[in-house]
């Protein structure tokens, strides 16, 4: 099964509206319609302005979180329907920074992902072990627990991002072999929940210090179908170079 590579930029809490507009005006001419699927995930406040610019372009818009209810007394939260109304097509859920700083759990991550799918959005479900867990030999056990309820999601509007916590924002990228090993495990988990065919279509992204100079060696791995890029996505030239690295992956061509 050939999977179209997916390159998503997670801007985290970076990007004013003005900065977003300028960034997208520079990025759009560099993105081909027949290359990898490209998603940018600005902060909530910049989404409406970004939507106007990306409409009709090959760049899709993602958000960095959504709530599981459609509306209600949930101060500070944003629903998937509200995002869909803006033209958002993707939502990151369960990011390790949400887990670490905001009490996100496997359960809330799945609920958010399910709500995103119900609203017609695509979810990027983030999983990954901490350094202590890896050193204790618990990587697969952690990934297994984090994907225990995968069956509550549909396989179609879904990507999984393997983001080892020790690699996020640290400059310590997983080796291609470490990434491939974890991705193969996650695909096996997807097989158990969704069956072989759907699992073979599922895109599993690597995230954690992806840079222009290490993207190609990660993306060439058989089960690495794209990247969730944090810091390096804030630079148009760097993000474009990562998209370019995905373009050259014959095993991942459409
Ligand atoms: P990083 O972040 O590329 O800056 O390590 C990745 C992420 O948190 O999604």
């Amino acid at each position: 099964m050939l999977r179209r590579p997916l390159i998503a930029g997670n801007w985290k809490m970076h990007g004013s509206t003005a900065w977003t507009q300028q960034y997208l005006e520079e990025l759009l001419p560099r993105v081909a319609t027949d290359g990898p699927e490209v998603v940018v995930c600005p902060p909530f406040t910049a989404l409406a302005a970004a939507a106007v610019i990306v409409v009709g372009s090959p760049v899709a818009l993602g958000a960095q979180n959504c709530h599981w209810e459609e509306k209600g007394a949930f101060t500070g939260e944003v629903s998937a329907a509200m995002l869909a109304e803006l033209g958002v097509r993707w939502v990151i859920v369960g990011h390790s920074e949400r887990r670490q700083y905001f009490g996100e759990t496997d359960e809330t991550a799945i609920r958010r992902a399910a709500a995103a799918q119900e609203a017609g959005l695509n979810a990027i479900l983030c999983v990954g072990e901490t350094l202590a867990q890896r050193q204790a030999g618990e990587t697969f056990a952690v990934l297994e627990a984090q994907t225990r309820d995968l069956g509550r999601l549909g396989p179609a509007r879904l990507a999984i991002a393997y983001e080892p916590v020790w690699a996020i924002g640290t400059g310590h990228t997983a080796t291609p072999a470490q990434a491939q090993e974890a991705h193969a495990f996650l695909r096996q988990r997807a097989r158990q929940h969704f069956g072989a065919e759907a699992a073979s279509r599922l895109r599993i992204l690597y995230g954690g210090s992806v840079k222009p100079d290490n993207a190609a060696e990660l993306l060439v791995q058989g089960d690495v179908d794209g990247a969730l890029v944090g810091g390096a996505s804030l630079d148009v030239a760097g993000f474009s170079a990562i998209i370019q690295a995905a373009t050259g992956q014959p095993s991942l061509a459409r």
Side-chain angles (χ1 to χ4, degrees):
M1 168 60 67
L2 298 177
R3 295 176 289 272
R4 185 182 180 193
L6 170 62
I7 305 294
N10 172 16
W11 294 5
K12 311 191 180 187
M13 199 169 70
H14 296 282
S16 66
T17 298
W19 187 91
T20 299
Q21 288 166 326
Q22 194 185 335
Y23 176 102
L24 290 173
E25 268 151 28
E26 284 172 33
L27 178 68
L28 258 44
R30 298 175 184 232
V31 178
T33 46
D34 57 354
E37 192 166 357
V38 176
V39 179
V40 293
C41 306
F44 289 129
T45 48
L47 288 172
V52 174
I53 300 174
V54 302
V55 70
S57 86
V59 174
L61 207 52
Q64 298 173 21
N65 198 10
C66 71
H67 196 260
W68 51 85
E69 295 290 346
E70 218 178 295
K71 60 184 174 192
F74 302 102
T75 302
E77 293 285 328
V78 169
S79 77
M82 293 168 184
L83 297 171
E85 184 192 27
L86 289 181
V88 168
R89 304 228 336 263
W90 290 83
V91 187
I92 299 170
V93 297
H95 190 278
S96 66
E97 286 151 17
R98 300 291 321 166
R99 295 173 188 259
Q100 189 179 347
Y101 304 128
F102 303 102
E104 196 83 51
T105 62
D106 295 339
E107 172 62 19
T108 57
I110 289 281
R111 289 176 78 180
R112 291 178 198 275
Q117 291 190 330
E118 252 164 59
L121 304 179
N122 304 282
I124 300 177
L125 176 68
C126 301
V127 297
E129 80 288 358
T130 64
L131 184 59
Q133 289 165 334
R134 175 163 281 268
Q135 286 172 340
E138 294 167 3
T139 298
F140 292 151
V142 170
L143 297 180
E144 185 169 346
Q146 290 173 332
T147 52
R148 185 159 294 144
D149 289 328
L150 209 51
R152 285 160 59 185
L153 305 177
R157 290 199 179 101
L158 180 68
I160 295 179
Y162 170 61
E163 297 207 305
V165 179
W166 48 271
I168 294 177
T170 59
H172 299 300
T173 320
T175 65
Q178 285 171 325
Q180 169 57 27
E181 187 185 39
H183 283 228
F185 180 82
L186 288 167
R187 195 171 310 283
Q188 175 59 26
R189 292 293 288 158
R191 232 175 261 131
Q192 290 162 355
H193 286 289
F194 302 135
E197 205 196 310
S200 74
R201 277 197 299 266
L202 178 74
R203 285 172 298 183
I204 305 178
L205 316 181
Y206 170 80
S209 297
V210 175
K211 309 284 177 213
D213 62 358
N214 62 26
E217 64 186 24
L218 289 159
L219 290 162
V220 79
Q221 302 300 313
D223 287 295
V224 178
D225 310 314
L228 181 55
V229 187
S233 74
L234 295 172
D235 171 54
V236 172
F239 191 52
S240 305
I242 293 168
I243 296 166
Q244 196 53 43
T247 308
Q249 302 305 329
S251 63
L252 297 175
R254 246 197 298 186

